[in-house]
Each structure stands twice: as structure tokens, then as C-alpha cells.
Amino acid sequence: MDNKENILSEYIDDLNREKKPENDCYGADPELARLCETVKAVKTLKEPALPEEGYAHRLAQKVALEMAQSSREELNEKGAVRLNKRNRTARRKPVRPGWLLPAATALAACVLIFAMFVSRPGIFHTDVALAMQQAVGQLSSYHGVLEMRSHNEAGQEWLVRQVELWSEGDKYAIKQSDGTLTVNNGRQKWQLRPQKQEVALLPLLPDPARQGFDLRDEAARALSYPHQVVGSEVIAGRQASKMRISPPGGLEYYLWVDKETDLPIQLQTAMQNALQTTYTFVSFEANTQIDPGIFDYQLPPGFKVADSDPGQIVSTVEEAAEISGFIPLLPEESPSRILAFASRIVLDYGDTTIVEKVAQGVFEPAANSALGTAAGGPLEVWGESLRWRQDGIEIQVSGAQRAALAAQIAPGLALPEASRDLAGQARVKVAVDMDIVKADQQQADRGSSPWQLDPLQVSLTFVNLKVSPEGIVGEPQIGAASFKTAINNGVQAVVEVSAGPVSKVYLKRLVRQDETGIWSVVGYDPR
Amino acid sequence: MITAEHLRKAAQGESRSIEHICLELWEPLYGFIYYRVQNREEAEDITQDTFVRTLTYCQRHNTQPDNIQAFMKMVALNIIRDGWRQKQRQGKLISFEEAKPLETVAADEQKTIAERMQIENALTQLKPDQKAVLDLRILKGYSVAETAKMLGKSAAAVRVTQYRALQALAQMLDEHD
């Protein structure tokens, strides 16, 4: 563009695209500058272009993050470390973040990676912290390959998965090793399944990828994590600083930061449940040019659409009710987005999602869930999710704010008390051989005997073996209908039995106290 | 409703208070900024920067302005004017300490209403082909190629007409000032 007509025309095109003009005329010819101002003046007659849905929440998160960074910068300035003017400008540039990784586990890892970007200095190695701040401040897009490996206490290691990632602003695409490609472009989400020759249109919400990983939320959360540089290692062929992070009340884990790019390249979780997982960017290109076509929805020739109800974003609850055919129950806090489907409504709170639908059939909590109470009935507590029924609606709240939001819908909601000793109440104690229990747990981990994850099934087996010590042949004498979970706090459970020689069975998760832990009978009450 | 307590906590970095303040105040502030920059990308960035600078100011001076909305608009104006100054344009910065936010912003609001009326009036005085080009290019957002097709002109002719139309319009607005 070398003449004024063209410069002015391009200026108009930029404003029409709602972009900051590349050439804003100000440094140039005064007349051109005046004409650019006149273009803006004319455009004021048009309605302003509003930000995309959820802007206010994203704004709040970015502001919180900036405030945190600002405090840290001030602390550093009080010490001898000062950012130069150029670096300040780079950091100040509003972050359009988004490191979005595929599976929930991988995402969890990256949550930690990004959390690290904003850690409090003083405890952390100052130079590395500052460099990371600047690196993340300048990260607007990336393309990389992430490898996830696990190893157990016995020292065995295996590759869990490898995924290719593209991220730009709020958009992301994730390609699994089988070719499955999941894309979220902020307006649509879909999954391309080459093996089935189909494209599944997915609801924008809930989006476990986004929920599992959000720089702004996690950054704010991680502010108080102490960390320390503990060494230097070569990771994926690159020199990296190794840092130990100690979350308050949590287990220590490690992060490696590339010495050249100042971006994290590897994270290793703590050993939990005899498993430790390492996430490594075996390749990573920051601020790279990403083919915009990857975020465009197109049905490839020969592919069919597998799901035709991806829902639609609506502005009001009334609109959602009209589409979904019922009025949802709402917490006091307003959602940032509402998504309506033919038979359900999804409320988005950034890191937490509420899904509501009309209750149908009998409410059956998942067999291996803990139980609390909500709205006078049972509350299923499973992982990071709460589910219950209220006024004919089934409500599921998943994410970080689940307890607070659920309590706003169902006042008096009570979560299970994991510290309560239930097993101690058993009239007859059952001795447990921990070697056998550990072996059973390993068996369940390999996918065998999944019934051990269900306290009802474990109780059924225990009671029927009391009746038929020689073994259960065919249908058990005391059927499943006689067993009912009275209490399940996630660690201990009591199952009531309406028939046979036992009235109550007391169980415990002895090896692992989460959804993957098997149940063992530790006592019972004879009838 | 923003209370002094919200501001105090937000200035200390408390995320819930920051969220409350952002949810309450973003829309009028964004509109105010958009009016001046006329593009969403810059308006979003300046809105974010305005919140951060306002809260940082509250934190450093341990104060909570009485009229936070007016105060933030003043901060936004400073950010915009700061951008102009960096590009050798005029734009006087307003000192936080000396400023009277209500007066500053109110004066600016009145000015924008008057400006809008002047622009509408000036547009009616352009030649028909000039008015048509500005209408299609700026108000309706068509590309040069689309505008050229609709008006039966070449792309080059559209660019020239557009340039002259804006010159004429700027002249009229300057005369009015």
C-alpha cells in the first residue's frame, strides 16, 4: 500500500473486520490522520460490535491475572529486579490465552503448567519466573505434540497417548493418534472420526477440555504455590530448568522450563495411587502461524453427520426454556453462557457447568459414587460432579465451583462426611488381608472384576457367600433387589440388606479412596 | 451495585470482587471505549487495561473513587489519549489526582452527542456518489470490490471517491468546529 487512497481503504477494511487497524495513520501524513479520524466518526453512526458471549467472565479472569502479575511485579521492583520498558509493554499486552489439551488428564497437567506461569516470586527463582511471565505474555498461539507417559511404583513405564495440538486464542484443535480430530472454534465444536467416516457435532458446553484447563482461573488459584529450581536437565533434546512445586496440602510435582524459549516443556505429577504421569511436549512451536482452515467446520466428502443436536447458545433463560420445554432451576449467580438443547439446558460458569433435564425414571446414583443429600433426596458425588433431583428436574453440577453453585440451587445440600467412622459401628468385624485386597485392586485396575468397585455388588457377594459358603452357583439366593446403599461417603459405606442372615454390611475403600478404589467388607450386623 | 468494599477487595486482587465489578461495569465502559476506537479488538483490550489500571490505582493509593464509572471512563480516555500521544497526536493526559472525573466524562459525553448530529448532517451534504460510497463501505461494511460492483464503478474509482468524500466530510466537520 503506497498511496493514501489505499492506506485509507485498508484502514476502513480493518475497522469493518473489527480489528485494530494495522496502519492507524497517526505517524504519517496529518491529512491522512485526519481522514482516518473521520472514518471513525462516520462509523460511530453504526451500532457498536459487542464482544462474543462470555466476554465479561473472560475479562474478569484476565483482570484478576493482570492484577496478580502486577502485584508480583511491584514486589520485584521493591527488590533489585526491574523490568525494562519494553518488557513491561510486552507483558501488559492483554493475554489472549488458551493452552488447551485433549484428554482430561492431559489437561490437568497443563493446568499445572500454566499455573506455574504466575507463581509468587521470592520462593521461585526470580530470573526464571520473570522469563516465564514474559514468555506467556507473548504466547498467542501454538502448535505442538504432547506425549503422556505413565510409570508405576514397580518402575514399569508405558506411553499412554500422544496428541497433536493447535491453539489460537479461544480456539483449539486436538488430534489423537487414531486420527480423531476434535475442534472448538468458539462458535462450534465437532469431532471428525475418520475410522467411522463421520463428524459428530458436539455441544459447545460442557467442554471438559476448556473446563479442565483455563489459564485465568488456574493462574489465580495457583498464586500461592511455592516452588524452587532444583536442577537442570535435557528434555526432548532441549536444555531445561527443573523446578519443584509444592501445592499447599498437596503432593509435590515437577515442572521443566525450556531455557531457550522460557516456556514449560514437561510436567511430572506426584506419584498417586502407585501411578505417576509425565507430560512432555516433544515438539512445540509458540506464536506460530496456524492454518485458519483447521478451525473451519467442513463436512469432508463421504462423511456423514452423527449428531444433529449440538444445541444453541441463547441469551435468556426464557429462550432456553422455550427450546428445551422446561424451566430450569437457577442458582443466584448468573451464568456466562446458556446453551439450550431439545431436552436439556446447560449453564456455563467458566470452570463449572450445570446441566439440567427433566427427570425420568428412578434416580440411581452411580454404584461407586459417594452419597450426600440434596432437596430431600440422595445426592450423587462422583469425581468433580454432583447430581441430584429437585422439583422434577435432574441437575448435574460439574467443576470447581460445584459445591457453591449446587448449594444455591438446593439450600441445605449436604456433602458426605468422609471422616465419619461407619465401620466402627459394625457388630461383627471382618478381618481383612491387605495383601489380598491390594492384589484385588490391581486386578480391578487392569479391568478385571469391576464389580469390586460397586459396594452393592460386594455386599451381595459377601452375604450370599454367608448363605452358600461353598460358592454362588447360578442366581444368588438373596437377590440384588434386597440390597440398598444407606450411606456412602466415598471412603466408607453401609449397605442395608432386607433379606437373609445379615441386616447391614459395612465397607471401606482400603487401597484407594476415589472412584477407582475397590470396596472391601470390614464388618456386618447379623439380623 | 459496586460498594467500597468490593473495590477494596478487588484492588487487593480478590477474584470474586474483581468478577463482580467486571460484570457490573464492563458494558457501559466498553461502549464508551468502542465509540472512540470503533473496533472490537482494541475496545476489548482497552477495557481490560482500564480495569487493571483503575484497580491498581485504588490499590496503590488505598482509595475507592466515589463515582467509579466516571473514574473508569476517565482512565479509559487517558489510555486512548496515551496511544495518540505516542503517535505524535494531540491528547492531553488527565492526572488522576487533579481530575474531576464527573466533569471530564460528562463534557466528553455531551461532545459525542453533538458530534454525531454533525456527522449525520454533514453526510447529507455530500455528493450522492460520495455518500453512497461511504454508506456502503463504512456503515454497511462492504469491501471495495463489493461496493464497486454495486455502484458499477471500478475498485480504483471507489477508493478515489471514498478518499474525496472523507476529505469533504472532514472539511465540513472542521468548519463546524
Side-chain angles (χ1 to χ4, degrees), chain B:
Chain B
M1 172 79 180
I2 305 292
T3 63
E5 185 65 4
H6 282 128
L7 277 172
R8 191 184 61 76
K9 285 186 176 174
Q12 288 169 353
E14 207 246 352
S15 53
R16 281 197 172 275
S17 297
I18 291 174
E19 186 171 33
H20 179 75
I21 288 171
C22 287
L23 292 178
E24 286 273 322
L25 300 180
W26 79 268
E27 207 160 355
L29 179 68
Y30 174 87
F32 178 84
I33 295 165
Y34 185 93
Y35 186 84
R36 282 147 186 86
V37 298
Q38 287 301 317
N39 70 87
R40 189 171 60 202
E41 184 183 50
E42 216 175 347
E44 286 185 6
D45 289 352
I46 295 174
T47 302
Q48 180 183 332
D49 213 4
T50 301
F51 274 104
V52 173
R53 287 200 197 186
T54 302
L55 293 176
T56 305
Y57 176 83
C58 294
Q59 180 197 43
R60 290 195 176 147
H61 295 78
N62 194 23
T63 183
Q64 293 92 40
D66 292 336
N67 187 331
I68 187 67
Q69 288 205 35
F71 185 86
M72 290 185 80
K73 286 178 180 176
M74 188 194 70
V75 173
L77 278 181
N78 267 347
I79 295 171
I80 296 166
R81 287 169 184 172
D82 193 28
W84 288 346
R85 276 157 54 97
Q86 282 175 17
K87 293 156 190 159
Q88 292 95 46
R89 289 277 292 178
Q90 288 184 343
K92 187 184 173 216
L93 286 192
I94 307 158
S95 150
F96 285 149
E97 285 74 16
E98 294 164 12
K100 294 176 179 168
L102 274 176
E103 285 84 335
T104 306
V105 172
D108 223 87
E109 295 280 11
Q110 286 159 13
K111 199 176 156 202
T112 56
I113 294 167
E115 276 172 1
R116 249 178 140 145
M117 289 170 69
Q118 286 166 25
I119 296 157
E120 280 175 347
N121 186 43
L123 277 172
T124 61
Q125 295 174 45
L126 289 175
K127 290 180 187 168
D129 66 327
Q130 291 179 336
K131 186 173 181 303
V133 167
L134 293 194
D135 185 54
L136 289 170
R137 286 285 286 135
I138 303 175
L139 296 178
K140 296 201 168 63
Y142 289 111
S143 66
V144 169
E146 288 164 335
T147 305
K149 198 174 173 187
M150 280 186 258
L151 297 178
K153 291 180 176 231
S154 68
V158 167
R159 285 194 198 95
V160 171
T161 308
Q162 169 182 279
Y163 193 87
R164 289 183 181 155
L166 287 164
Q167 272 181 320
L169 200 62
Q171 178 78 25
M172 281 187 256
L173 295 174
D174 281 353
E175 280 167 10
H176 196 280
D177 287 343

Side-chain angles (χ1 to χ4, degrees), chain A residues 153-215:
Chain A
E153 274 183 333
Q156 296 163 312
E157 185 181 301
W158 62 97
L159 176 67
V160 179
R161 69 172 69 86
Q162 194 179 61
V163 292
E164 190 171 2
L165 309 156
W166 296 261
S167 173
E168 187 177 72
D170 291 334
K171 303 171 190 169
Y172 67 87
I174 302 159
K175 194 174 192 177
Q176 308 282 349
S177 42
D178 66 355
T180 303
L181 179 72
T182 307
V183 185
N184 185 335
N185 65 10
R187 294 178 185 280
Q188 279 179 295
K189 185 180 167 193
W190 66 95
Q191 191 172 66
L192 198 75
R193 300 166 179 160
Q195 288 169 343
K196 293 183 181 173
Q197 292 272 295
E198 67 179 24
V199 173
L201 300 177
L202 305 174
L204 268 175
L205 295 169
D207 186 358
R210 184 172 62 84
Q211 285 189 355
F213 180 78
D214 188 308
L215 166 62

Side-chain angles (χ1 to χ4, degrees), chain A residues 113-134:
Chain A
I113 288 179
F114 252 109
M116 281 298 304
F117 282 137
V118 289
S119 302
R120 199 174 290 282
I123 307 164
F124 197 15
H125 192 284
T126 311
D127 293 343
V128 179
L130 285 173
M132 284 178 72
Q133 282 172 27
Q134 290 162 22

